[in-house]
Each structure stands twice: as structure tokens, then as C-alpha cells.
Amino acid sequence: IDEQRAGPYRFWRHRHVINPLPEGGCEVTDTVYYALPFQPLGELAHALLGRPLLKKIVAYRRQSLALLLGGEACAPPPAQSAA
């Protein structure tokens, strides 16, 4: 679990779960819990800047894990967001 101690979010917790698959390979599941600062302006900033950045972070992580763990069989599904 990764937790933000200081940074742009009021709260951030990122949980990683890696499970082996019976047919080989693995499944990676990421769950992100976060809260935005500066409400209600935080929601607007998140819609304009935060959400697109989060999508880029998830795409980069997906690509990196696929390379590190051996290809598409280990690529994680899209992250679940619990904002």
C-alpha cells in the first residue's frame, strides 16, 4: 500500500494486489482511494487536470508492469477509483 504523506491530494492510498493465474501469468489489481483539497474548487481542478493526469499515470503503470512481468498476461486491468 502506498500512502501520500504530503502532496497535491488531501488523502491518497494506492493498494496493489498481484495474484497468480491458474493458466500462468498474473493479474494485477490497483485500487486508489483519494480525496481532493480545496473543495469545491478541487472538483473543478480534478476534472480539468487531475483526472487526465491520473489516467496517464495508470496507462504508464500498465505498460511498465507488462514489460517487467512478462507481457500482456501480466498487464493490470484499468485501475479502480474510489474517489
Side-chain angles (χ1 to χ4, degrees):
I1 294 179
D2 299 323
E3 290 186 353
Q4 173 188 280
R5 301 278 179 186
Y9 292 91
R10 190 165 52 93
F11 172 82
W12 176 278
R13 177 177 286 162
H14 179 190
R15 181 173 182 241
H16 320 271
V17 177
I18 302 172
N19 291 308
L21 296 174
E23 63 275 4
C26 59
E27 176 182 64
V28 178
T29 303
D30 293 303
T31 305
V32 177
Y33 299 94
Y34 62 98
L36 304 169
F38 312 119
Q39 294 305 321
L41 295 177
E43 280 298 324
L44 178 60
H46 182 61
L48 297 174
L49 304 169
R51 190 170 289 121
L53 179 59
L54 188 56
K55 286 182 180 187
K56 283 183 181 182
I57 291 168
V58 169
Y60 176 79
R61 179 172 163 73
R62 170 182 276 239
Q63 181 182 20
S64 296
L65 283 175
L67 291 172
L68 288 170
L69 298 177
E72 290 300 317
C74 290
Q80 303 168 16
S81 176

